[in-house]
Amino acid sequence: MPAKGYNNLIGGKWVPSRTGKTFPNVNPARHDDVLGEFQASGAADIDAAVKAAAEAWKTWRLTPAPARAVILYRTGELLLERKEQYAREMTREMGKVLAETRGDVQEAIDTAFYMAGEGRRLFGQTTPSELQNKFAMSVRMPVGVCGMIAPWNFPMAIPSWKLFPALVCGNTCVIKPAEDTPLSTFNLVQTLIDAGLPPGVVNIVTGFGPEAGAPLVEHPLVRAVSFTGSSEVGRIVGQTAAAHFKPCSLEMGGKNAMIVLEDANLDLALDGALWGAFGTTGQRCTATSRIIVHKDVIRDFTEELVDRAEALRLGDGLDPEIQMGPQINRQQIETSIRYCEIAKKEGAKILTGGKPLTKGAYAKGHFFAPTVVGKVKPGMRIAQEEVFGPVVSILECSSFDEALAIANNIQYGLSTAIYTRDVNRAFRAVRDLEAGITYVNAPTIGAEVHLPFGGVKQTGNGHREGGTGALDFYTTWKSVYFDYSDKLQRAQIDTGE
Ligand code: NAD
């Protein structure tokens, strides 16, 4: 049976790409399972989608925010009803286990309800004027057409972080999902449509980065760009947006450190390390990829982590017994292989894993053994560069201060964790770790949607998704003055002093 065909969504209509080309969406655990054929779009498709979004903006921006929010509430309710179906499709599309894809859909549900609540807030400020008979306030205004580019590892949650705040703020959107996971974005947007979203308010154009992503960033009618993905691509997107003076939110890579001090609850730290390093097959921007362990406990900790990694059950995430799914594609497997080779050459030691699994039940998928790398030094490439796979490095420290220094000696700054029972050191870590997120006695993964999400240094450019930071990106401030004195009053001059 031929794979189901999916078209772009432009101005409320499902239309094929003008390129006439498509690409398959393949299950990374079973290559004979093709979820569908999607449009390999180009600049002409982006142009049509952006124009449709600009047209829809004329009315959407005038729709009261509480009415926009009603659509998000309904979307959250419909997503709840469809959670299991969408989670199963997501596991087939990107490989992570069902418990995690249910969590991914849940994150979209949480974001829908949280952002729907903003429909009756979106607060501005009123403040006294310095002049008599004059009223001053600031209000949030929508930005206009927003271009959104998403990665594949949270294929519904991340699009929801972008779309829902943008919509409640009164913007219209063109989203280009990652080429590996378009179906989950379709499911999300179909739910918005079923909840009553008018045509053209959200448009989907599928395709590859240079052909479909780049024209979206460049399009003159796109007023703001939200990108999540690698720092390498983020640099290109950010530079292009800057050349057009467009606001641009960049959420990029990580090399997240977990510190385990000598007074830590080791069992708890091990639970956290296993989940942080191998949850989502290590393919989270917040994945634990460096564990900095005090010398007094490093031996016990490492031995036990290796045992637990070897006991993980790998396979198709639809099977409830499975704990870790495949990597997303062949390229990611090659990256994991390459970094294990680099680590060995630099003098580190592969304590377990380090290779793809290609036989028997694994033959049809992109599986890589959970990998623990020992004898890692802070300057090694394996300790500095993002692998984005199930590969975790263990580094030794002799003191708390040294642990902090190792953790901060990195170009990224997304998530960090510290395991200790010493409240003083925990607070110092919160103050001194250079990262957008710090967990105490919990792993580096597990963000909640109502808190700001993002990083410092080469992880981000200062914006935040989640929390009220998202509203700041998707609105622009307007200051408003009403003079009811019936005469010219000059600020700074006629203040009556
Ligand atoms: P990627 O950078 O390869 O691709 C991300 C998106 O950018 C895709 O949709 C892709 O098609 C598009 N793209 C590629 N080239 C482009 C170009 N020239 N112009 C415009 N768009 C282009 O990243 P990925 O492999 O999909 O995702 C993995 C990366 O994402 C990791 O580095 C991970 O850390 C990061 N990530 C960050 C966060 C965060 O919030 N900080 C969250 C998830 C993933």
Side-chain angles (χ1 to χ4, degrees):
M1 205 175 64
K4 186 176 170 191
Y6 290 85
N7 285 334
N8 289 328
L9 176 64
I10 297 180
K13 298 201 173 67
W14 299 98
V15 291
S17 164
R18 295 167 196 208
T19 65
K21 294 185 202 150
T22 62
F23 63 95
N25 182 358
V26 182
N27 181 338
R30 287 198 292 119
H31 295 162
D32 49 5
D33 178 23
V34 178
L35 285 89
E37 279 289 326
F38 288 81
Q39 303 302 309
S41 312
D45 303 304
I46 290 289
D47 183 54
V50 172
K51 285 182 175 149
E55 190 57 33
W57 192 56
K58 291 178 187 162
T59 45
W60 184 246
R61 75 184 185 89
L62 300 177
T63 305
R68 298 193 293 247
V70 168
I71 296 173
L72 289 186
Y73 274 123
R74 274 195 225 125
T75 301
E77 281 161 2
L78 288 174
L79 283 172
L80 261 172
E81 284 170 22
R82 301 172 184 182
K83 182 172 171 180
E84 191 60 20
Q85 179 206 333
Y86 287 171
R88 298 188 87 82
E89 287 180 354
M90 195 189 297
T91 292
R92 283 176 60 208
E93 155 161 88
M94 71 75 66
K96 63 188 174 188
V97 298
L98 256 183
E100 292 189 43
T101 49
R102 287 184 189 123
D104 197 305
V105 180
Q106 186 59 46
E107 211 165 304
I109 295 166
D110 296 342
T111 305
F113 290 140
Y114 172 53
M115 283 300 162
E118 284 303 330
R120 287 191 185 269
R121 282 189 292 263
L122 287 179
F123 296 133
Q125 295 170 326
T126 56
T127 183
S129 165
E130 67 189 34
L131 294 162
Q132 278 190 0
N133 297 325
K134 198 171 175 190
F135 184 85
M137 64 183 169
S138 63
V139 291
R140 289 185 183 272
M141 308 292 281
V143 178
V145 177
C146 297
M148 298 162 173
I149 299 176
W152 45 265
N153 62 339
F154 279 86
M156 188 173 283
I158 290 179
S160 80
W161 291 359
K162 298 186 187 306
L163 290 171
F164 295 172
L167 292 174
V168 82
C169 291
N171 304 287
T172 56
C173 312
V174 177
I175 184 162
K176 192 207 82 64
E179 44 271 43
D180 285 301
T181 55
L183 181 58
S184 295
T185 299
F186 276 66
N187 287 340
L188 184 72
V189 175
Q190 183 62 54
T191 310
L192 278 164
I193 294 168
D194 295 343
L197 195 76
V201 174
V202 173
N203 304 270
I204 311 176
V205 180
T206 55
F208 296 88
E211 293 80 15
L216 182 58
V217 181
E218 285 160 13
H219 200 292
L221 293 180
V222 171
R223 297 269 185 85
V225 174
S226 174
F227 168 85
T228 303
S230 60
S231 298
E232 196 185 358
V233 175
R235 180 168 280 118
I236 301 170
V237 169
Q239 286 173 351
T240 309
H244 297 265
F245 303 115
K246 287 183 195 183
C248 176
S249 164
L250 301 172
E251 298 292 344
M252 301 172 288
K255 188 76 193 174
N256 312 290
M258 168 191 285
I259 296 173
V260 182
L261 295 179
E262 71 282 12
D263 67 338
N265 175 341
L266 268 204
D267 204 43
L268 182 69
L270 281 157
D271 283 347
L274 199 75
W275 173 229
F278 302 122
T280 322
T281 318
Q283 302 172 122
R284 288 197 191 204
C285 50
T286 51
T288 304
S289 56
R290 298 180 293 150
I291 310 181
I292 303 162
V293 190
H294 193 274
K295 64 180 173 29
D296 291 355
V297 292
I298 193 166
R299 203 168 139 200
D300 288 353
F301 181 89
T302 305
E303 278 173 16
E304 182 63 22
L305 185 64
V306 166
D307 286 351
R308 292 190 190 195
E310 287 175 353
L312 284 173
R313 289 184 299 276
L314 269 64
D316 185 339
L318 286 178
D319 176 346
E321 296 294 306
I322 292 301
Q323 295 168 298
M324 191 179 109
Q327 290 211 252
I328 186 74
N329 55 32
R330 182 70 217 160
Q331 200 186 330
Q332 288 301 132
I333 290 276
E334 276 159 16
T335 305
S336 297
I337 297 173
R338 195 171 72 246
Y339 274 100
C340 288
E341 289 305 318
I342 291 170
K344 279 191 272 184
K345 272 199 198 117
E346 287 183 320
K349 193 162 176 222
I350 308 293
L351 303 175
T352 185
K355 53 181 186 303
L357 304 172
T358 53
K359 303 218 166 77
Y362 305 123
K364 285 186 179 170
H366 298 300
F367 291 95
F368 198 85
T371 301
V372 180
V373 188
K375 303 225 173 304
V376 175
K377 301 282 175 244
M380 291 179 178
R381 285 182 65 192
I382 190 70
Q384 291 287 330
E385 296 172 24
E386 187 181 44
V387 180
F388 222 54
V391 179
V392 66
S393 298
I394 301 201
L395 297 96
E396 184 176 304
C397 67
S398 310
S399 67
F400 171 59
D401 286 326
E402 191 192 0
L404 288 181
I406 296 171
N408 287 339
N409 170 28
I410 191 91
Q411 62 176 337
Y412 295 112
L414 185 49
S415 187
T416 44
I418 180 160
Y419 281 77
T420 179
R421 288 171 165 129
D422 178 341
V423 69
N424 293 354
R425 294 197 295 187
F427 266 96
R428 276 188 56 204
V430 167
R431 187 192 60 194
D432 294 341
L433 284 169
E434 295 170 358
I437 308 168
T438 296
Y439 292 89
V440 177
N441 293 327
T444 57
I445 64 179
E448 299 177 28
V449 304
H450 53 301
L451 276 80
F453 184 91
V456 300
K457 301 200 265 188
Q458 292 199 18
T459 292
N461 63 343
H463 297 286
R464 289 290 182 268
E465 298 203 297
T468 50
L471 305 178
D472 292 333
F473 185 71
Y474 290 111
T475 54
T476 178
W477 284 112
K478 176 170 280 189
S479 299
V480 184
Y481 303 93
F482 273 85
D483 191 320
Y484 53 101
S485 69
D486 250 356
K487 61 179 186 207
L488 173 67
Q489 298 195 88
R490 296 169 300 174
Q492 292 88 42
I493 296 170
D494 299 327
T495 49
E497 281 167 14

